[in-house]
Every structure is written in C-alpha cells, then in structure tokens.
Amino acid sequence: MKNILIYDIIITGDDMDKFLIIDGSSLVNRAFYAIRPLSNKKGIQTNAIYGFIKMFNRLINEYKPKYVAVLFDPKGPTFRHELYDGYKGSRKKFPPELSYQITILKNLLNEMGIKTYEKTGFEADDLAGSLSKKYEKEADIFLVTGDRDYLQLVSDAIKVIYTKRGISDTTIYTPEKIKEEYNLDVSSLIDLKAIMGDSSDDIPGVKGIGKVGATKLLNEYGSLDAVYNNIDNMKANKTTEKLIDGKDMAYLSRELGTINRDVEVDELESFIINSPNEDNLQEIYRDLEFKEFINSDLNTDSIDIKYELVDDLSSITSELKEGNIVFKFFYTANYQKTDPFIAGLYDGEKLFLSKNIESAISAMESVNDIIGANIKEDCYYLIKNNREDLCKKYIFDVVLADYLLDPTINGDSIGSVYSRHFSSILNYEDILKENKNKIENIDEGELNKGLSSALVQISKLYKKELEMLENYEMMDLLNDIELPLATVLAKMEFKGVKVDKDMLIEAGKTFQKDLSLMEAEIYKLADGEFNINSPKQLGEILFEKLNLPVIKKTKTGYSTDQEVLEKLSDSHPLPKLILEYRQDSKLKSTYIDGMIKDIDEDNRLRSTFNQIKTATGRISSTDPNLQNIPARTDKGREIRKAFIVEDGYKWLDLDYSQIELRVLAAASKESKMIEGFKGELDIHKKTASEVFNTPYDEVTSLERSHAKAVNFGIVYGISDYGLSRNLNISRDAAKEYIDNYKAQFPNIDKYMREIVEEAKQNGFVKTAFNRRRYIPELQDKNYNIRSFGERIALNTPIQGTAADIIKIAMVRVDKYLSENNSKASLILTVHDELILEVPDNEVDVIKKAVEEIMVNVCDLGVDLKVDSNVADNWYDAK
C-alpha cells in the first residue's frame, strides 16, 4: 500500500489505541544483512533503509496503530558500561555502509510523520521498557524487535513481535508463547540470562552453565535468589561449584540484562503519527530510487480516468486545447506484423479513443507537437501507409527519454517507465499479456481504461522527463540524434534486407551433411555414441573414458566449455572436433534455419533495430540478429553470400576505420596518436614503432599484431592477464607492453586515470555528446565488481561516442537521400558500419556523398576515415 493511503487509514480508522514501539537499531541491522546490497545512481547503499521501510509499511497496514515510536541506541556509553567494562566489548561497530543509512532513515521517518526516539545513557531496550510500562493501560502495546531481551517485557497488555529471520518472518510472543517455548514464566527470563549469560552482549553469566542447566535450576527453584538461598542444600557437584564461584557474575549479569523501566519518557500524545510531508518524502524516495514507495499526484490506479470512444478522431481535434498533444497507436502484438487496433489522443484534459485508424492519421495532420512513446513502432505504421511526413510531428518520446536518463534499465513499456518515476500503475501491456494479446478475451471497459491510463502516463512522464533532460543538458541528444533516428530505423525495418532463400536452404543442406559426417567421426573417436550436446555425457567421455586431464569443474560436474576444449585440443582430436561441431550447429540453427522462417513473402528479412537496449548507446538487432552473422570464419562468411540486392542495385558498405581508437585519441588529446591517424599511416604499425622503440619501416608483422591487441585492449581497460591470454605471452611481457604503451602515450594513461576518478565522484560517465551512463559498480565492496565498474568507466565514453557518431551519420545520410529524391536506402547498420542498397546509376554519387557525410559528421579533433566497398552481396562487400 502506498504511504499516503497508509496514513489515511491510520487517521480515520476505528481502532486507534495501538502503540507500535519499534527497536530501530535491531530492525535496521536485520534489514542490512537480510537484503542484498542495493545502491542508487550516486553509489549510496540503500538496502537497510529499503528493508526497514518494507517491514514498517507492512506493520502499519497490519496493526493500524495510532502511536508509533522508532527507538535507536544513542552514541556513547550507557549505565551498563559503567557497571561492567566488558559489556558489549566484542560487538563490532556498525559498518559505515550501515551507519550512514541510519542517518538517512531517521530523516526519512521524520518526513513520514514518525517519531524517532533515543536518550543519552540508555539503550533502546530501556526506552521500550519505560514506554510500555508507562502507557500499557492507555494503549495496546506491541514491541517490534529482533532482540530477545525484549521478551522480559511481555505481559497480558504487552506483546513482542519478534523478527526471527530477515525482515518478514515474525513470531508474536505472549506469556503463553514464552511458557510454551522456554518452559519458564516471563518473570524467570531475566534470571535465565543471569545464569547462562549472553555472548552477543558479552554478559558473562555463570561460567560453564548453559541454557539447559539454567532452565533446570529455575524450574526447580523458581528464581535466581531461590537458587542461591538453597545453595547449601544442594548436592555438592561441579554445578554447585560453578554457582558458588560465579555468584557475583550472576547478579551482575542480572543487573546488566534487566531492562530499565523507569526512564523518564515523553508524553504519549507526542508519538501520534503525523501527516507525512509528502513532497519531501517523495523527493527522498526518488533520490533513493525506491520506485515501489513513490506516489504520483496523479495515480492512475485510483483515479477514474474518463475517456470518450469516438468514430472519427479527426472530427474532435478542434476541441483540443492548444499545446502538446499525447498521441499513441496501440498494437496487440509485433508492430511489424500487425496493424494498430486502436489509437488515442489526450490534451491534458480531454481523452479520446478510436478504432478508426484512418481517422487517427487524419487527426495527426491537424495537430502539432506530438508527445509519444516508442515512436519507432508508430512511425513504422505511418511509413507503411506512405505518411512518413507525419513522423516529424513527434517532439518527444517518453521511453526514449527514460533510456537517455538511465540506459542501464532497458525498460521499453510505458508502464515500466512510469513505475520508475511515479507509482505502480494500471498497465495496458499487462492486460494484453495476461489475455495472450487477444482483445476479444478482454472486457472492453477494462482495456479502454488501461489504454487511457497509458495516455495519461505519457503526459505525466513528459513533464517530469523534460525537466530532467534539460537539467542534464541532454535535450540536443534527444532532438538531434534519438528522435530523428527512430524514423530512420523504422524505415530500415520496413525496407528490410533482400535474401536469397534458396541459397540459404542449400547452405542448410550442406551444413547438415557436414554435421552428420562430424557426428560419425566423433562417435568413432569416442568409441561409442552419446548425446554430443550433453555436457554431462561429453564430460564422462573426455575425462573418464579417454582420461584427458580435468581442467575445471562446475557444481554439476566436469566443465566442457570452449576454454576447456581449446586447452584439450592438443591432447586429443575429439575436443577440437567438438568445437567445430558446436560452431557449425549454431550457424545452422541460428543463422540458417532461424532466418529462413523469418523471410517474408517479398524475400526480404526484417530485423528489429533496438534503440534503447544497450548501456553504451549502440544500436542492436534482434529477430533476427543481423549484426551477429559471423564474419571471421569461412563457413560463417559463406552465409553472407545469401544477402543480396534487387536487380539493378548494388550493395554499398561503408565502415568507420578504427573509430574507437580515434575517439580515444581525441578524448585524451594524445598528440602522437592524433598524428598517427593523419594521412595514410598505419596506426597499429605506428603504435608498435612507439611501444617497441622500432623505426616505423622496420616494424615486424608480429610487433604490429601485438600493438594492435594493446590498442584495442586499452579501450576496454585490459589487464596484463587478459593481454597475456590474448597474445599467448607471459604476464610479465604483457605488463611490459602495457607499461611501455602508457609511457609512450602519457595523455592516454592520464585520461584513463582521470575518467575513472570522475566516474567515482559523479557516479556516471558521459560521451562527447552528453550521453550518460551510471556506474554503481564503482562503489561496490567487492574488488572484482569495482574493477568491472572501472572498465565500464573507461570504455563507455569511447564506445558511446562512437555510437553517437554512427547515429548522427545515419540521420544525416537518410536526410540527404530524402532531400535528393534518391532511390537508395539505408538497410543495415553493424556497429561502426552502414550498409545501403543503391541503384546502379547512383552508386558513384551516393558513395562519395555518404563518405563525405560520415567523415565530417563532427569535429572531434582527429581525422575520421571511412572504408567503402561496392558489391552484389554482403560477402563480396567485405
């Protein structure tokens, strides 16, 4: 339940006489260790706060108290430390990651209208005991704690809610429950601790007598005093010796373990729950990124959204108020395969839905400045209906904006984006999913409310995200790159790539024949048939039957991953053959069989280009993934022969040359490398010359190869270990290469150190075009995770800037083609590569124009270079 609703219940409910007294120190400690480490974008750990608030809300909803006190132990010693120097002497201090969370939590509770309470010289236990004693006749008392010391306070009027494990597993203790569990009355619990002690608080007790012995004594004699009053009547044995020797410690322990119930405490009325400071509270929740606790002032779950279902959307545009208009086509499934089933308009006051999609397109003509969500799919439909011109009306996309604000989230639905910024909401996507995208199975009123909800959510998100993007200076990134790119990608998807289906089918037959031959050879080498795709069976063949050396094991048995098989390839021919078999199997299943079924009737393959899926800003491709068609193996490259063009057209492939290294040179202002990119110098040869102190013309092919590995590895923060494995050299040699590289290119080394330090301070890194990526990993306690974060900090500004450059190039190339009425089309992008389908009679002009656009896309301070090829298919173009 959301917090504002919680407090309505508290204030207006019938049962107003409950008093929740919460041991804050205990519960926050439990939450800290029960919940995995969580951090916000600033790197602040938040798991203890999150766990505490989760439990707190549950308690409030369940018990509906009028009074609440959250107690904390004060800093400094208490009267118990004065009694006994060793009291809690071995208890570790709260770790810093927990201490600062307590400070934030206290502030948060204050904004929630909840009183936090502590008193110098006394522990939270003493305040709980004193509050419960003073007010047990005025309210039903519930003590919430993970500390069993509180059980001595239980009575008919006072109950203890004890957290057993984590934050959700609780037990309620009454006098009857204590008798059942301890076989003692509540009054005997203090004496139990006096005899047995308490290691958690360093209360000594009687040395050598534990819980069983102490319980037996108390059952027989009734109390600590009675035990010692009868000591002379007891049979002389080791127990009596221990009791006699430990008498002073027993009474000291009873004093230490007894909760002080006579501390002067505040009046009961001061613990009444106040109304929360909702604005401040929501700001804290957003800062902590606790999306499930965030309330929207426009909560689409609870507000009755009014909509009007109309036959003609274009007829009501005159009723809309001036300004930004929310517009959305709604689809039941894949937008490439299905048309929208309904469309909606919302001006902030009036909301209209219409099943007449043609009228929706007409309505778009009458409005300007459209706010949308996932506009690529809407542009796809407009392009399909020859209305690409309407795509220019979109001035904002709330899903794209959310991606720019945090590219690591990967949320692509309106509901998921909205829930991150506001509260959980009615989500039309969930309604469709629950009914398997069949609208005939859904109540029309329920569905229309969900659709209307989405339009309201888009409007609300627009206002919030616009302000955030402006504050982060990211509006140019949205307006100049991402929004126009959505239309470009929609055009590419609609166009598709021509494929020779018959060639793929024949290739599949050839692969199957080769796989069958390999299977026979594998069985021969293994001396018997087995399931080649079963790691377990393969492991038994390799390591038990053939007795090959075990490289590593997993939880389920022998590892037979690629690394293991590569290491075993010199020991026996079977591992190498298994590797080849796996490779060919994947090629056939993924890139032949998988693509054949996706080819449309016009013999074109239509991939989905994902604009919001990568943390670095790169475009990815799915269904099928055309960017992953192999290029390094002969068999893989053969598949590219099936990617062809229409008759009378050519395949034009343009690829940025070493763009990430050029971006690194520009970002670091490393003059030697910038100079190396000028003219026709070979940058890897130039690097080898510097690193190995060899004249440029005398650099060997091996030296160039090693320098190339360092060049590309340095962008990804490669270690000496990683480089040694890549080059099959010793770690010492690899370290020497990296050290020499940094010495010869000092500005790169300086840049790498500075960018990581900036990321640690800011919590994020930026590209040259202001694209952000947050890196909470940099604050992690785990060294390996922090190291991973450092590599992200190094790589993201470089790879992200390169991604921005290719996106700008795509937008400008598409604009050039449109403005010049060219019949050429962008059909594919693979990382730093653009591919066009160009009419024969336009090849020379288009090739020259696109090359010029790509090399002049921006001024980084380093020359950009493009390699281009013209061919009849993808294979020949590379």
Side-chain angles (χ1 to χ4, degrees), residues 179 182-185 188 191-192 195 211-237 239-240 243:
K179 183 68 174 178
Y182 284 87
N183 194 27
L184 292 171
D185 293 329
S188 297
D191 291 343
L192 178 68
I195 298 172
K211 182 178 180 180
V212 173
T215 303
K216 183 178 179 182
L217 286 166
L218 291 173
N219 278 324
E220 185 172 351
Y221 296 102
S223 68
L224 181 66
D225 289 339
V227 168
Y228 279 102
N229 287 338
N230 287 280
I231 197 78
D232 293 335
N233 300 324
M234 293 181 189
K235 182 179 178 181
N237 54 29
T239 299
T240 53
L243 285 169

